């Protein structure tokens, strides 16, 4: 938990690190968190179709960056249909290949909490820790690559009907679903949230919890390094569609 607090302090207090960090990917050769309107990040949860009713698979969470280095993130994922469970969350290609330093994932207890999904997970990753001499190899690639792997299952269900189960990003406060740049000066937050399995639930009068992204109250324009809306989130999910092969035609004939 102390390391998670360190990450949040990096983002919210916005400490500055003067050390230069070399990147191995030409598309991300910058040590500044200054971003133009064209630069940003797209985070996508994979969509999966299951045709035999049995689910024991992995949903990739993909990152595509247009010139915005990623040095840490804090995500929350929810499922509001108990037919599908998140068994665990594993680091993806970027964490492994770039040799990031810290990763944690945990399930959050949402029992008896109004407007919360029954399944909620949080995952935090950092490319490097504070005052650490170990340097990551990179902060992303010049191509789309996986940030995380959501291990999902419905093995606890005896009979699986044809249905769709959304897997979505979830906000409890302004620090959720955020990305930190290399120096920690700029925090990236949601710009748009896209759904593909039905409409999003209506937002109530309260700011949180929500599935619609960070509200405007999360940005104080008076602050020099206030959060920037640069992330497009694409929710994913699983579609169960039982596929029954037709019986072969009887080509024999009787006389």
């Amino acid at each position: 938990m102390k390391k998670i607090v360190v990450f949040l302090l990096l983002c919210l207090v916005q400490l500055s690190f003067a050390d230069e960090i070399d990147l191995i990917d030409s598309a991300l050769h910058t040590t500044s968190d200054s971003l133009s309107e064209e630069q940003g990040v797209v985070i996508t949860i994979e969509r999966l179709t299951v045709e035999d009713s049995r689910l024991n698979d992995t949903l990739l969470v993909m990152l595509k960056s247009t010139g915005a280095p990623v040095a840490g993130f804090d995500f929350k994922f929810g499922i509001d249909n108990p037919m599908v469970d998140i068994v665990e969350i594993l680091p993806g290609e970027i964490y492994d290949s770039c040799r990031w330093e810290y990763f944690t994932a945990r399930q959050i207890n949402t029992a008896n909490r109004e407007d919360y999904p029954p399944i909620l997970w949080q995952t935090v990753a950092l490319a490097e820790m504070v005052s650490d001499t170990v340097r990551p190899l990179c902060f992303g690639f010049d191509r789309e690559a996986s940030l995380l792997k959501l291990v999902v299952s419905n093995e606890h269900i005896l009979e699986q009907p044809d249905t769709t189960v959304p897997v979505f990003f979830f906000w409890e406060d302004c620090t959720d679903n955020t990305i930190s740049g290399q120096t920690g000066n700029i925090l990236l937050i949601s710009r748009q949230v896209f759904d593909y399995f039905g409409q999003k639930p209506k937002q109530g009068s309260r700011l949180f919890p929500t599935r619609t992204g960070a509200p405007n109250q999360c940005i104080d324009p008076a602050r020099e390094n206030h959060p920037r809306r640069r992330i497009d989130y694409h929710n994913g999910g699983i579609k169960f569609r039982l596929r029954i092969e037709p019986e072969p035609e009887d080509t024999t004939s009787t006389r």
Side-chain angles (χ1 to χ4, degrees):
M1 287 301 297
K2 291 183 179 179
K3 294 183 178 179
I4 296 177
V5 171
V6 169
F7 172 77
L8 296 179
L9 288 175
L10 280 171
C11 298
L12 298 178
V13 182
Q14 300 171 340
L15 299 175
S16 176
F17 296 94
D19 297 339
E20 292 187 356
I21 303 172
D22 293 329
L23 302 183
I24 65 172
D25 300 293
S26 60
L28 301 179
H29 278 197
T30 176
T31 56
S32 171
D33 277 332
S34 177
L35 295 175
S36 67
E37 291 294 333
E38 292 75 22
Q39 293 174 302
V41 176
V42 178
I43 306 291
T44 303
I45 303 174
E46 188 177 10
R47 284 170 279 165
L48 178 68
T49 298
V50 178
E51 297 182 339
D52 61 359
S53 298
R54 292 292 89 192
L55 174 66
N56 191 358
D57 211 330
T58 300
L59 291 182
L60 297 179
V61 179
M62 305 295 292
L63 176 144
K64 184 176 182 181
S65 175
T66 55
V70 176
F73 58 79
D74 185 341
F75 294 151
K76 283 181 181 170
F77 303 96
I79 298 179
D80 55 12
N81 189 328
M83 289 184 177
V84 172
D85 191 17
I86 297 178
V87 178
E88 62 178 331
I89 299 180
L90 305 173
E93 179 187 6
I94 292 176
Y95 181 92
D96 291 336
S97 297
C98 293
R99 298 183 186 178
W100 284 17
E101 190 171 356
Y102 176 74
F103 176 86
T104 183
R106 67 183 183 94
Q107 186 168 10
I108 299 173
N109 184 4
T110 62
N112 301 319
R113 301 182 71 178
E114 186 180 359
D115 298 327
Y116 274 72
I119 299 167
L120 183 64
W121 280 70
Q122 179 182 21
T123 177
V124 175
L126 287 172
E128 59 181 331
M129 300 300 292
V130 179
S131 302
D132 201 325
T133 58
V134 178
R135 298 300 190 198
L137 294 179
C138 53
F139 300 92
F141 305 117
D142 56 359
R143 58 174 174 81
E144 190 175 29
S146 65
L147 266 184
L148 297 164
K149 303 173 184 177
L150 309 184
V151 181
V152 291
S153 172
N154 72 340
E155 291 185 347
H156 59 290
I157 299 298
L158 295 179
E159 295 186 8
Q160 175 65 60
D162 285 3
T163 187
T164 56
V165 179
V167 181
F168 48 84
F169 295 95
F170 192 78
W171 282 259
E172 289 187 278
D173 56 52
C174 293
T175 66
D176 291 331
N177 302 308
T178 54
I179 287 176
S180 177
Q182 286 175 243
T183 67
N185 285 337
I186 298 296
L187 188 69
L188 306 185
I189 64 174
S190 61
R191 177 168 52 192
Q192 298 181 86
V193 180
F194 299 91
D195 273 301
Y196 299 94
F197 294 134
Q199 295 184 353
K200 293 179 292 187
K202 294 182 179 180
Q203 180 68 21
S205 58
R206 295 182 299 168
L207 295 179
F208 297 105
T210 181
R211 289 172 52 178
T212 60
N216 291 331
Q217 287 81 352
C218 291
I219 300 177
D220 181 3
R223 294 178 61 180
E224 181 180 358
N225 293 324
H226 60 78
R228 303 297 201 270
R229 289 198 182 276
R230 293 292 189 276
I231 310 175
D232 292 338
Y233 283 106
H234 294 256
N235 292 328
I238 302 104
K239 177 186 291 185
F240 291 95
R241 183 183 63 188
L242 182 60
R243 181 177 179 180
I244 301 177
E245 295 292 340
E247 295 183 2
E249 294 183 5
D250 187 0
T251 57
T252 62
S253 61
T254 56
R255 294 181 181 270

